[in-house]
Amino acid sequence: MELLKIDLESLSFDGKELLREVHLTLKKGDKVLIKGATGSGKTSLMHTINLMNPNYIGTITFHGRDIRQYAPDELRSRIMEVMQEPWLDNTNCLEALQEPWTYAIHTKKHPASFGTETWKQKVNNYLEAFGLDETYLNKPVSQLSGGEKQRLALIRVLQFEPEVLLLDEISSALDQNTSSIISSCILNNFSGTVIAISHDPHWQNSWKKTWQIENKKVHLSEV
């Protein structure tokens, strides 16, 4: 059954048409990497899926329902994004992980999750998997490297187990080994649907399903 269906006549950003005749579908658990030259429309395409870029003509459906019919906070609690340069409040890492729980949409969906031993173990498992440890929880965000901030932002989203995970160049500040570990973890251990953008060679070679953007068209490839 289709989870996401994209049927667009055109997609624009800042008044410039980037894509035409985009017809794509994704099922639950699909993992796809968007490829293309800088400025070709990769991020703009990704941002239509959670309505951060509403500049398109056509329809995008999620569970058979037009995404424009969802309240933005509901849509973005189910289709969650980690950006290349994540914004993290000027707190320590534990508080940065706790901060999204102040939003009613998350406490409503996960009423008995936050602060439990299960939640703590989940966070610790992600820290360990991504080459961090529990001591980071008390570390000020201001003292993190760019790669550490990207990993913390990823954990902050993964704790909610979103149905769709959007990853916009989250490997850009990571060393090759850490980038490979995160790519493998997402491919092998995350059960949801993933749409990613990365220029990292490991990601480019290991993700078998791709959307290649060229000359305003999106070409599907699956190895």
Side-chain angles (χ1 to χ4, degrees), residues 42-56:
K42 300 186 297 296
T43 297
S44 295
L45 175 59
M46 177 179 283
H47 283 176
T48 63
I49 296 168
N50 62 358
L51 283 179
M52 288 182 64
N53 176 29
N55 302 306
Y56 63 87

Side-chain angles (χ1 to χ4, degrees), residues 41-99:
K42 300 186 297 296
T43 297
S44 295
L45 175 59
M46 177 179 283
H47 283 176
T48 63
I49 296 168
N50 62 358
L51 283 179
M52 288 182 64
N53 176 29
N55 302 306
Y56 63 87
I57 300 172
T59 59
I60 300 173
T61 58
F62 178 52
H63 287 289
R65 181 182 174 191
D66 193 312
I67 60 172
R68 289 169 289 200
Q69 295 178 0
Y70 287 89
D73 62 342
E74 179 187 358
L75 183 70
R76 292 168 189 162
S77 71
R78 301 172 71 179
I79 302 176
M80 301 184 72
E81 179 176 3
V82 182
M83 297 184 177
Q84 181 176 2
E85 296 183 4
W87 182 88
L88 298 168
D89 207 354
N90 190 25
T91 59
N92 66 31
C93 293
L94 177 59
E95 291 168 338
L97 292 174
Q98 293 171 334
E99 190 268 340

Side-chain angles (χ1 to χ4, degrees), residues 24-201:
L24 303 163
T25 59
L26 284 174
K27 302 186 298 295
K28 180 181 179 181
D30 278 349
K31 294 172 176 62
V32 61
L33 188 72
I34 306 177
K35 295 182 177 182
T38 300
S40 61
K42 300 186 297 296
T43 297
S44 295
L45 175 59
M46 177 179 283
H47 283 176
T48 63
I49 296 168
N50 62 358
L51 283 179
M52 288 182 64
N53 176 29
N55 302 306
Y56 63 87
I57 300 172
T59 59
I60 300 173
T61 58
F62 178 52
H63 287 289
R65 181 182 174 191
D66 193 312
I67 60 172
R68 289 169 289 200
Q69 295 178 0
Y70 287 89
D73 62 342
E74 179 187 358
L75 183 70
R76 292 168 189 162
S77 71
R78 301 172 71 179
I79 302 176
M80 301 184 72
E81 179 176 3
V82 182
M83 297 184 177
Q84 181 176 2
E85 296 183 4
W87 182 88
L88 298 168
D89 207 354
N90 190 25
T91 59
N92 66 31
C93 293
L94 177 59
E95 291 168 338
L97 292 174
Q98 293 171 334
E99 190 268 340
W101 290 95
T102 63
Y103 300 117
I105 190 68
H106 292 311
T107 54
K108 180 180 178 181
K109 287 180 63 179
H110 309 276
S113 297
F114 176 65
T116 64
E117 288 302 316
T118 300
W119 174 80
K120 294 175 184 176
Q121 188 60 54
K122 180 191 295 186
V123 168
N124 288 334
N125 288 345
Y126 280 128
L127 287 168
E128 182 179 357
F130 296 160
L132 305 173
D133 59 53
E134 290 184 54
T135 63
Y136 274 84
L137 294 176
N138 294 317
K139 192 171 184 178
V141 170
S142 61
Q143 294 181 11
L144 300 182
S145 68
E148 289 168 340
K149 287 180 181 178
Q150 288 177 329
R151 281 176 277 175
L152 182 66
L154 178 58
I155 294 170
R156 188 162 75 161
V157 166
L158 287 174
Q159 66 178 325
F160 295 108
E161 301 178 355
E163 293 177 66
V164 181
L165 182 61
L166 307 178
L167 304 176
D168 188 6
E169 290 285 9
I170 67 161
S171 61
S172 61
L174 302 176
D175 61 75
Q176 283 291 301
N177 182 59
T178 304
S179 178
S180 298
I181 289 171
I182 289 177
S183 173
S184 297
C185 182
I186 292 167
L187 286 173
N188 299 320
N189 300 325
F190 180 67
S191 61
T193 300
V194 185
I195 302 170
I197 299 170
S198 177
H199 289 93
D200 185 285

